[in-house]
């Protein structure tokens, strides 16, 4: 009797062990297949790796190397170690540049992502009817910053011929404000201009995140008597945060590296009040011919980009696992 009871257990154990052995054999076979395909995959990657090394890795390493030298024009490089970095952080102009970069980057990201997120929530209630509206907003994201800059010069002209001054002049005759010529308003004019061009991407990312929400959640909410505002607040906003995080990450990186719009609209002025780290690097390297000093500013900008990007990349990678 004991043998008859133990026999099924023994058979079950042997069945499980055979299944585990089959699984291990299949895993080993897949691993061998991957190893066989590795040479071909590496061969296909070689051209990309070579181009990446020439276009990205070599300039990066050379920039870091130059940051340790004092190079003025065509003069002989002089090794100064971290002297350029010490000089940067004791330079009042660079400290002001870092503050301007922080204000510009955070403000533009806040307004562009916030506005894009709000528009995405509203468009989600009527996706077909708002399609032309979304396309027009996203089209601004695809316009070159240089082209957008020249367009905004016409809008922000300091005389009454500027579109913004002309519109305000309808209610206040004779009004004329040098929006880009006044240090108090120039930075905010840049923020408004950059926000106009950057709002399209957050709109599309947040709208896509809302479209991935199961329709059954909306149906259940409406059956329970929820209003549009309650659906937006309790369902759409929390479940669209994945799109918001990606939009914040992309816009932060874009604004940290902003150059074209600043070069076209203000050239860093007036009185260097709109000069960001990216433009400071250009000024010191290309107009003052202080290549080592400009390279040190580039390294600091690189560190700022890494501070923003590495945590986001780690979080996305951990979520993928």
């Amino acid at each position: 009797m004991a043998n008859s009871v133990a026999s099924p257990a023994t058979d079950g154990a042997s069945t499980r062990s055979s299944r585990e052995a089959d699984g291990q054999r299949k895993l080993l076979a897949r691993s061998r297949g991957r190893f066989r395909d590795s040479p071909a995959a590496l061969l296909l990657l070689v051209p990309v790796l070579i181009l990446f090394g020439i276009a990205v890795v070599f300039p990066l390493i050379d920039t870091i190397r130059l940051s340790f030298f004092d190079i003025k024009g065509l003069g002989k490089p002089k090794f100064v170690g971290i002297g350029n970095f010490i000089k940067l952080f004791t330079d009042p102009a660079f400290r002001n540049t870092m503050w301007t970069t922080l204000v510009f980057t955070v403000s533009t990201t806040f307004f562009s992502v916030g506005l894009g997120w709000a528009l995405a929530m509203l468009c989600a209630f009527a996706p077909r009817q708002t399609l032309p509206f979304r396309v027009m907003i996203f089209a601004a994201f695809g316009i070159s910053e240089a082209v957008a800059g020249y367009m905004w010069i016409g809008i922000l002209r300091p005389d009454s011929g500027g579109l913004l001054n002309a519109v305000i002049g309808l209610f206040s005759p004779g009004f004329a404000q040098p929006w880009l010529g006044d240090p108090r308003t120039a930075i905010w004019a840049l923020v408004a201009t950059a926000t106009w061009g950057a709002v399209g991407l957050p709109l599309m990312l947040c709208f896509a995140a809302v479209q991935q929400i199961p329709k059954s959640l909306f149906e259940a909410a409406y059956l329970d008597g929820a209003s549009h505002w309650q659906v937006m607040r309790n369902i759409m906003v929390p479940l669209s945060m994945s799109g918001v995080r990606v939009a914040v990450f992309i816009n932060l990186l874009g604004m940290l590296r902003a150059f074209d719009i600043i070069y076209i609209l203000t050239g860093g002025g007036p009185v260097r009040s709109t000069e960001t780290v990216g433009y400071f690097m250009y000024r010191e390297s290309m107009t003052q011919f202080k290549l080592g000093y400009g390279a040190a500013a580039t390294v600091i900008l690189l560190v700022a980009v890494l501070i923003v990007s590495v945590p986001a990349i780690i979080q996305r990678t951990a979520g993928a696992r």
Side-chain angles (χ1 to χ4, degrees), residues 63-70 78-85 292 295:
T63 299
I64 295 174
R65 181 186 66 84
L66 290 176
S67 67
F68 297 108
F69 289 85
D70 181 14
K78 178 183 177 182
F79 182 77
V80 292
I82 61 172
N84 284 326
F85 296 96

Side-chain angles (χ1 to χ4, degrees), residues 82 91 110 166 185 190 197 224 290 294 298 313:
I82 61 172
D91 185 353
F110 175 78
T185 58
L190 275 179
D224 289 339
K290 300 176 183 177
T298 306
I313 293 172

Side-chain angles (χ1 to χ4, degrees), residues 83-98:
N84 284 326
F85 296 96
I86 296 174
K87 185 178 177 181
L88 276 174
F89 287 106
T90 56
D91 185 353
F94 184 72
R95 290 201 299 268
N96 180 71
T97 291
M98 292 185 67

Side-chain angles (χ1 to χ4, degrees), residues 17 173 196 223 268:
S17 62
W196 174 85
L223 286 175

Side-chain angles (χ1 to χ4, degrees), residues 207-245:
F207 183 81
V210 172
Q211 293 301 300
Q212 292 178 353
I213 300 174
K215 298 296 185 289
S216 58
L217 292 179
F218 295 105
E219 295 171 357
Y222 286 126
L223 286 175
D224 289 339
S227 64
H228 287 315
W229 168 249
Q230 290 172 325
V231 169
M232 180 188 297
R233 184 183 62 185
N234 299 315
I235 297 177
M236 295 168 64
V237 169
L239 296 182
S240 64
M241 287 302 297
S242 59
V244 174
R245 285 192 291 268

Side-chain angles (χ1 to χ4, degrees), residues 282-304:
Y282 162 78
R283 179 195 293 273
E284 296 299 323
S285 299
M286 301 301 173
T287 65
Q288 304 299 318
F289 302 106
K290 300 176 183 177
L291 299 181
Y293 198 52
T298 306
V299 173
I300 292 176
L301 179 61
L302 171 64
V303 171

